[in-house]
Amino acid sequence: MKEYKVVPCQGKIVADSEAVVNTQIGALAGVIAQELVGGWELVTAMPIVVATTKKRFKGKELPYNALVFARELIKDEDGI
């Protein structure tokens, strides 16, 4: 059986140079690498828009990505 977890990450990069873009994308790779150390495997990434209010024109909408990770549950001596 697997367990899953979702890790939010930025969904938009604002950059004025290619170096900044590479740094930001490298940071995303760092998030993935950090989760791999814990035995998690990246399953998928999906975009999510976070709204500050239900009213469309009165609030802000912020883009994020949800990184979905999975790993096998560790069974104890009883097999549970």
Side-chain angles (χ1 to χ4, degrees):
M1 177 180 255
K2 290 189 178 191
E3 64 178 323
Y4 295 89
K5 81 172 177 178
V6 177
V7 177
C9 70
Q10 65 189 31
K12 182 178 184 178
I13 294 174
V14 178
D16 58 357
S17 70
E18 190 173 326
V20 174
V21 171
N22 290 335
T23 301
Q24 294 294 328
I25 291 174
L28 177 59
V31 170
I32 295 169
Q34 181 179 355
E35 297 301 330
L36 294 175
V37 171
W40 296 94
E41 178 182 349
L42 180 64
V43 175
T44 191
M46 60 182 147
I48 295 177
V49 177
V50 177
T52 58
T53 180
K54 290 182 181 180
K55 297 177 182 174
R56 185 173 181 190
F57 297 108
K58 295 205 176 196
K60 291 183 182 179
E61 291 187 347
L62 306 168
Y64 283 90
N65 285 308
L67 302 178
V68 180
F69 292 88
R71 70 178 174 185
E72 289 294 326
L73 284 174
I74 300 171
K75 295 181 181 179
D76 63 14
E77 294 176 6
D78 298 328
I80 300 173

